[in-house]
Amino acid sequence: MARRACLLALAGCLLLGAADAQSLLSAPPQAIAPPLLPQVAATPRGPCDMGINFYPQGGDNLPTGWSQAVQQAAGNTLPDQVLKIALAGYPIPQLYMAPVSVYTGVGGSVPIACVTGQSVAGAGVLTRPAAYTITWALAGQSGQLGPFLKGSKQDPPPNVTLNFVPQLPDGDYCLQLKMDLIPNSGVVAVGAQQFEVPARAQSVIRQVCFYKLASRPTANITFHSCNSSFAVDLTGITPKPQSSRADLQLFSTVFHVWGKLNRTFDTSPQPEGLQDYFGQYVKWSDATQPNHLQVFLDSPGLVNGYYNVWIEGSLSTPTPDLNSLFGLDQYDDGSAKFMGVSLRNTSNRPVPIQTVLSKIANLAGPEVPVPAGASAPFTWDTQGFGEQFCYVDGQRIANAPDLVHCASPLNLKVADGGNHTLEVVLLDVCGQTTANGVFFGSWGWRPNPKFAPPLPPAEPLPAADGPGVGAMPLPLARPMNRTARSAAGGRAGGAGLAGAVAAAAAGALALLAL
């Protein structure tokens, strides 16, 4: 739809007086987030006071979210209040209004107290309605309508037409309205006497708020896979998650995320009964992380591998009639959807997804000690997928053709009688690392307690008269057949530690990956 010039088309438009404009614009309309439900009483405080009606006969508000039928269906029964709505700018917003006053209904009864200001019984008849004006301000623009001399006979009733709303940036807005009765502009007949009314100026002020939302969601997307969930980094997405509680009731951001298996991590046969696709809806409501979406997969039976993943951002609302937005449709789960649009994975790379936690398990060496100069085979099991690296005494070694990676089994030749470390590291598809390791030498091997999982909290021991329970021994793969400990093997006295270090430094150490 072609964009229209920013013009203001208001019937009977007059320039806004400087004082009135200043009073309406002195407080920014977005300084205080308005509540979703009206908070001001609908009826005038007294019989002589003035009110306002946003649903006068002959006035059809636009968009439909401002219509009386929709407002009442959403729970608003007050004629001088308007629930907050969301609109796109088209159709051009039009809000009709009319005064509610004993001074504007031609032929109506006017209490004597409203004519003379005295507590006297009786009433007069309004022969000429009082004139009124409407002053408005929105987003730095303002204007005045009137004066309307026909009062309630205005046909059709006046309205504020906001032609420039389509050009406004998306966001929260509040239309400030002020209706004034002009003093002494009406006439009341009390018998043969004529009285000009009202004797003093009367005003009513209202605020009508809306959320402008016309841009379809757009974003730069980067997927980060991690086990049974993955994160999505979003930049430039509109609308952001709403921090206002009222806006959250009006609408919330929802993403439809779905994926299809592109390829598995390896050629190993997959277990039967696993799915190669997933699809789910994720509500985005964390305003503290406006560029981050965490997706927890609710399909645990997925094939582990690389997936083509798509994401569609749109809106969901419990009150669709209050949202006059483009692209109204339905999600598959029945929730209302607005402005659905696909947001591409900017890298265009398949997303790795694994549904198991990465782990290096069952790392073990030979069953019996090997003499110096012989090969010691080490094996392990890998849970999860990624790159494997091996380190002996902190130096990376490899048994793969690329001279970078390693795999089980790994054969190590020990050329001295010292104590050494082996560490196996897995960098998985989630970008996380997990490791396991052992101490080894010509004497054998044992697990490195550095990689042991933490022990569960100890339960309180029952009171007993017998001897106390001693410390639990470190679990070993096999008994250590030696008399001196090394620095890597555990705590030792100064002499033992110095001897082990000297032996490691002076020996002809040759650890080769075969």
Side-chain angles (χ1 to χ4, degrees):
M1 185 179 293
R3 297 176 69 89
R4 302 184 182 180
C6 182
L7 299 177
L8 181 63
L10 296 171
C13 180
L14 299 178
L15 291 177
L16 176 67
D20 288 338
Q22 183 62 34
S23 63
L24 275 176
L25 297 175
S26 58
Q30 291 128 326
I32 301 176
L36 183 64
L37 294 176
Q39 300 293 316
V40 183
T43 57
R45 289 174 295 178
C48 307
D49 294 324
M50 178 187 181
I52 189 172
N53 178 20
F54 287 116
Y55 315 105
Q57 186 176 2
D60 295 324
N61 295 331
L62 292 175
T64 56
W66 275 347
S67 68
Q68 187 173 24
V70 169
Q71 290 282 314
Q72 287 181 345
N76 175 28
T77 60
L78 305 179
D80 72 333
Q81 300 290 313
V82 180
L83 292 177
K84 186 176 183 179
I85 68 170
L87 53 82
Y90 293 104
I92 298 298
Q94 288 184 317
L95 186 62
Y96 287 83
M97 60 202 72
V100 177
S101 172
V102 294
Y103 303 120
T104 57
V106 177
S109 175
V110 181
I112 296 296
C114 298
V115 177
T116 63
Q118 301 175 356
S119 298
V120 180
V125 177
L126 185 70
T127 59
R128 187 180 72 193
Y132 63 95
T133 60
I134 298 172
T135 307
W136 63 269
L138 173 66
Q141 301 200 41
S142 57
Q144 189 179 66
L145 306 178
F148 298 102
L149 303 177
K150 295 181 181 181
S152 60
K153 295 297 184 179
Q154 179 73 22
D155 188 19
N159 71 84
V160 175
T161 301
L162 304 172
N163 289 55
F164 60 93
V165 167
Q167 285 75 47
L168 292 178
D170 287 357
D172 270 304
Y173 295 93
C174 286
L175 172 64
Q176 311 294 325
L177 295 168
K178 183 170 179 280
M179 181 177 285
D180 293 283
L181 278 183
I182 299 176
N184 303 319
S185 59
V187 174
V188 173
V190 181
Q193 291 183 295
Q194 302 287 320
F195 295 88
E196 292 182 344
V197 293
R200 57 179 177 81
Q202 292 192 14
S203 300
V204 61
I205 297 177
R206 289 294 183 268
Q207 178 174 263
V208 176
C209 297
F210 60 89
Y211 192 95
K212 163 70 184 309
L213 182 57
S215 301
R216 289 177 176 267
T218 58
N220 297 319
I221 301 177
T222 304
F223 290 94
H224 303 286
S225 172
C226 185
N227 299 323
S228 60
S229 71
F230 58 87
V232 183
D233 288 337
L234 306 161
T235 57
I237 186 76
T238 55
K240 295 290 185 185
Q242 300 303 304
S243 58
S244 167
R245 193 173 186 85
D247 290 341
L248 283 175
Q249 294 175 357
L250 190 60
F251 60 79
S252 58
T253 310
V254 174
F255 293 97
H256 179 203
V257 183
W258 69 100
K260 175 69 176 177
L261 180 67
N262 178 286
R263 66 184 187 275
T264 57
F265 292 121
D266 53 35
T267 58
S268 302
Q270 295 290 330
E272 295 183 359
L274 297 182
Q275 295 180 345
D276 61 357
Y277 64 91
F278 68 90
Q280 61 193 79
Y281 298 90
V282 183
K283 180 174 288 189
W284 186 22
S285 58
D286 187 358
T288 63
Q289 299 189 63
N291 294 322
H292 183 81
L293 178 71
Q294 187 74 24
V295 180
F296 293 95
L297 297 178
D298 56 9
S299 302
L302 285 177
V303 174
N304 291 282
Y306 294 92
Y307 283 74
N308 295 323
V309 177
W310 297 270
I311 181 172
E312 181 183 46
S314 68
L315 303 178
S316 180
T317 175
T319 55
D321 291 338
L322 293 179
N323 291 261
S324 300
L325 303 175
F326 298 140
L328 177 61
D329 200 348
Q330 294 291 319
Y331 269 142
D332 291 340
D333 66 352
S335 300
K337 178 181 74 171
F338 303 92
M339 304 186 304
V341 64
S342 292
L343 307 176
R344 291 185 58 83
N345 175 0
T346 53
S347 67
N348 288 324
R349 296 177 181 175
V351 178
I353 295 176
Q354 66 176 43
T355 59
V356 295
L357 292 174
S358 297
K359 185 178 180 182
I360 300 293
N362 303 321
L363 175 57
E367 293 295 329
V368 296
V370 296
S375 295
F378 289 86
T379 60
W380 61 87
D381 298 326
T382 302
Q383 178 177 289
F385 305 90
E387 300 178 274
Q388 296 182 57
F389 304 92
C390 292
Y391 298 85
V392 173
D393 294 339
Q395 299 297 318
R396 190 169 70 185
I397 64 171
N399 64 348
D402 61 7
L403 303 180
V404 174
H405 300 93
C406 69
S408 175
L410 174 68
N411 293 315
L412 298 178
K413 182 181 289 185
V414 182
D416 66 5
N419 300 305
H420 307 283
T421 61
L422 167 64
E423 182 177 351
V424 181
V425 178
L426 171 65
L427 175 62
D428 67 13
V429 295
C430 301
Q432 298 176 337
T433 58
T434 183
N436 201 348
V438 296
F439 298 124
F440 72 95
S442 60
W443 46 266
W445 68 275
R446 71 178 180 86
N448 187 340
K450 169 185 174 181
F451 301 102
L455 296 175
E459 297 182 1
L461 297 175
D465 297 332
V469 179
M472 294 294 292
L474 182 68
L476 300 177
R478 60 183 303 277
M480 290 190 297
N481 185 18
R482 60 192 177 94
T483 58
R485 292 187 177 184
S486 69
R491 297 180 178 271
L497 175 59
V501 172
L509 173 62
L511 297 170
L512 303 176
L514 302 180

